[in-house]
Amino acid sequence: CLGLTFWGALFLFSRPMAYVNTKLLDSTAVPSLIAIDKILSEEACQGKGLHLAPKEGFKDVMVFIPANNEVAIPSMDEIGGGKVFLENSQGICLLPPGYGLAKLFEKELGVDFSKVDLDYLQKNLPKLLVEDLEVVEEFSMDVDGESVEVRMVGAIYQDLCCEVRKLANICLRIGCPICSAIACVLAKTSGNPVVFEGDKLSTDGTEIQARYRIIED
């Protein structure tokens, strides 16, 4: 968790004009992701990660990876206890890989995502990510009921995404930092758990299509 937080902090305290070599960012993030992948493997977690919106008892977005394929939302008492391994819900609860990026998005937009709606995200995230932060060349978000599909082209994380795809538990259950960041944003905006259902990388590695599901609790 500390490694992920540090990686996110590189963005949190970097202004858009202070360019950082992506190789440095990748090398900082990958070891922490490898460690989480190993933990999920050893604990045999098989479920999709649920990004959980802040509630009374815990102030940050968390990601819960259940031990099985059933969608199981842990109680607020369990999450608020600060434990990584949750016995009652049988799974693991962590700060998401995209936590730092999601905090940066809020800071740059000057908003609290819990006080805006999905329409706001659709209108404002493209400019933020394309023009202000220059994270991607193209960005779009389509919302259809509880399903959300995000398309990103020319992301600066292309090399990182390729590395993350080698980590089955991260790619299938939580998502790389940018995909996880979008899940964090969706969870906080909707106030509901958000499942990262997976992503698809184009053959040339330039386009990412990520899919999410908002669970009404």
Side-chain angles (χ1 to χ4, degrees), residues 103-173:
K103 296 291 287 184
L104 173 64
F105 297 166
E106 279 189 314
K107 180 181 178 182
E108 292 297 316
L109 288 170
V111 299
D112 179 342
F113 284 135
S114 66
K115 301 185 184 303
V116 300
D117 56 21
L118 294 177
D119 286 339
Y120 176 90
L121 298 183
Q122 289 179 286
K123 294 175 182 177
N124 290 275
L125 283 185
K127 181 180 181 300
L128 173 69
L129 299 181
V130 175
E131 298 179 21
D132 299 339
L133 296 179
E134 299 181 1
V135 174
V136 296
E137 295 175 1
E138 296 178 30
F139 179 90
S140 63
M141 174 185 290
D142 294 321
V143 180
D144 183 11
E146 66 177 15
S147 299
V148 179
E149 183 166 314
V150 170
R151 176 177 174 269
M152 294 175 279
V153 178
I156 64 173
Y157 310 103
Q158 291 178 24
D159 291 341
L160 178 59
C161 285
C162 289
E163 288 299 314
V164 172
R165 296 190 83 78
K166 300 175 185 177
L167 307 174
N169 286 297
I170 300 297
C171 190
L172 292 176
R173 311 192 193 291

Side-chain angles (χ1 to χ4, degrees), residues 14-199:
S14 295
R15 302 304 300 169
M17 292 304 292
Y19 295 100
V20 179
N21 192 313
T22 56
K23 291 183 179 180
L24 171 62
L25 300 177
D26 294 351
S27 63
T28 305
V30 170
S32 296
L33 295 174
I34 291 174
I36 291 178
D37 183 78
K38 185 176 181 180
I39 291 172
L40 296 179
S41 294
E42 291 182 353
E43 294 298 315
C45 291
Q46 300 297 316
K48 293 285 189 181
L50 289 128
H51 286 73
L52 306 174
K55 301 285 186 179
E56 185 177 351
F58 65 101
K59 62 180 181 179
D60 296 314
V61 175
M62 303 295 290
V63 62
F64 173 70
I65 307 95
N68 53 49
N69 288 319
E70 296 181 4
V71 175
I73 302 174
S75 69
M76 296 303 103
D77 289 339
E78 281 189 284
I79 302 173
K83 292 184 178 180
V84 173
F85 303 96
L86 305 186
E87 297 179 1
N88 293 338
S89 299
Q90 297 185 335
I92 294 175
C93 196
L94 303 165
L95 274 179
Y99 171 80
L101 279 174
K103 296 291 287 184
L104 173 64
F105 297 166
E106 279 189 314
K107 180 181 178 182
E108 292 297 316
L109 288 170
V111 299
D112 179 342
F113 284 135
S114 66
K115 301 185 184 303
V116 300
D117 56 21
L118 294 177
D119 286 339
Y120 176 90
L121 298 183
Q122 289 179 286
K123 294 175 182 177
N124 290 275
L125 283 185
K127 181 180 181 300
L128 173 69
L129 299 181
V130 175
E131 298 179 21
D132 299 339
L133 296 179
E134 299 181 1
V135 174
V136 296
E137 295 175 1
E138 296 178 30
F139 179 90
S140 63
M141 174 185 290
D142 294 321
V143 180
D144 183 11
E146 66 177 15
S147 299
V148 179
E149 183 166 314
V150 170
R151 176 177 174 269
M152 294 175 279
V153 178
I156 64 173
Y157 310 103
Q158 291 178 24
D159 291 341
L160 178 59
C161 285
C162 289
E163 288 299 314
V164 172
R165 296 190 83 78
K166 300 175 185 177
L167 307 174
N169 286 297
I170 300 297
C171 190
L172 292 176
R173 311 192 193 291
I174 306 176
C176 67
I178 184 65
C179 290
S180 173
I182 300 300
C184 290
V185 171
L186 290 172
K188 192 166 184 181
T189 299
S190 66
N192 293 310
V194 171
V195 178
F196 171 70
E197 296 199 315
D199 62 1

